Amino acid sequence: ENVLFSPVSEITDISFLPPVVRPGSAALLSLLGGAGQHGRVSLLDLEQGSFISTYYVAESNVWACCWNSQDHHSLCIGASKEGYVQDIVTNTRQVLFTNKSDVLCIRSAETSPLVYTGSRNRLLICHDLRAKNAAFQIEHQSSVGDMKLLKWEQTLISSAFNGQVVQWDLRTQRHVVAYPGHVNDYARVKLKVDESESLLMIPGKDLQTRIWSVDTGVLINTLPPPAEDSLISNHNIPACEVGLNWAGFYPGFAIAATGLLHWYSL
């Protein structure tokens, strides 16, 4: 086990940087803050185990972060009551207004200057960085916990605190596929999509990890936790990952909790 650092507060998000931004292994980490600590986003060198830089959000919690795919010198921050695009060269910020609601997840488009935020007030908002205002917004049934832009960036999958998981057509702002069966009521859980964008995987509050067809919404499988239910609390929902090229060529699923990891091959 290699401990890179001991965080001063809860890690709320992690986003790996593309090689074009920084050669080698580097990641953005967002730290919640609180108890006298400012929320922050830190750029971490994973090879050296050291911080490259840190960006503070004064008097605010930080819930999410990602790199701005439209340039090589700014990052996106989801914080209390609003979001930001932080230019790390000029140290200036563009505010993303969210009706004064906490931004729980944030994603940057790669093919256009758009940033998507998911907020506690149930809104999924598309922000046009050129116009500095919202291009459109979509309303979930409850707080938006996570989202994933799919190829060509014409569709997006998002999940809400009440268990709603939906694929949206961003051109019409209408949902086109629903993924039934996910169990949640308050937790921010990560949704995972494989490289081919054929499988969607989400762990639930009931400790079961479900796998759906991205295209049809059909529930393909339900996987148990890697330990007895009595050993896993609702505050320790299993973490999962799905991929077609583990170690270069092994397709499968990984589910981890309480120090245990289970591997399922495809």
Side-chain angles (χ1 to χ4, degrees), residues 44-257:
L44 179 65
D45 187 319
L46 297 176
E47 296 177 346
Q48 300 297 323
S50 60
F51 287 114
I52 301 167
S53 55
T54 296
Y55 308 94
Y56 294 90
V57 182
E59 300 180 358
S60 178
N61 294 130
V62 174
W63 298 99
C65 64
C66 70
W67 199 258
N68 181 7
S69 302
Q70 284 296 296
D71 60 44
H72 298 164
H73 55 81
S74 66
L75 52 94
C76 305
I77 301 173
S80 300
K81 309 304 180 185
E82 55 196 2
Y84 304 96
V85 177
Q86 169 86 43
D87 190 306
I88 64 175
V89 176
T90 64
N91 201 32
T92 57
R93 286 178 182 165
Q94 179 176 340
V95 176
L96 306 175
F97 294 102
T98 60
N99 297 323
K100 297 183 179 181
S101 181
D102 297 344
V103 176
L104 303 178
C105 53
I106 190 165
R107 298 289 180 267
S108 170
E110 294 185 3
T111 59
S112 57
L114 302 175
V115 172
Y116 296 86
T117 58
S119 303
R120 197 178 297 279
N121 64 356
R122 305 184 300 174
L123 292 180
L124 193 162
I125 303 177
C126 175
H127 306 265
D128 190 328
L129 299 183
R130 298 162 298 187
K132 298 184 178 181
N133 59 13
F136 62 82
Q137 63 184 37
I138 298 169
E139 187 170 357
H140 255 285
Q141 294 174 356
S142 66
S143 302
V144 184
D146 197 23
M147 58 183 163
K148 167 73 174 177
L149 277 166
L150 300 183
K151 289 177 183 176
W152 316 118
E153 300 181 346
Q154 295 179 347
T155 54
L156 176 150
I157 297 175
S158 57
S159 62
F161 279 18
N162 70 338
Q164 181 190 25
V165 185
V166 177
Q167 181 181 156
W168 304 93
D169 186 323
L170 298 175
R171 296 161 296 184
T172 63
Q173 293 96 60
R174 296 180 180 276
H175 78 263
V176 290
V177 183
Y179 306 93
H182 178 50
V183 179
N184 194 13
D185 58 14
Y186 67 87
R188 294 173 63 243
V189 293
K190 294 293 185 180
L191 60 86
K192 301 292 183 176
V193 177
D194 75 300
E195 298 95 319
S196 68
E197 297 189 347
S198 59
L199 299 174
L200 169 65
M201 185 177 192
I202 312 177
K205 186 188 173 185
D206 61 349
L207 311 182
Q208 307 297 307
T209 299
R210 293 172 175 83
I211 302 168
W212 297 266
S213 164
V214 167
D215 291 336
T216 66
V218 171
L219 182 64
I220 298 173
N221 206 343
T222 300
L223 304 177
E228 294 295 330
D229 290 7
S230 59
L231 299 178
I232 306 176
S233 72
N234 289 335
H235 299 289
N236 191 21
I237 293 173
C240 68
E241 188 62 79
V242 56
L244 301 179
N245 296 290
W246 293 88
F249 51 89
Y250 291 110
F253 314 102
I255 303 176

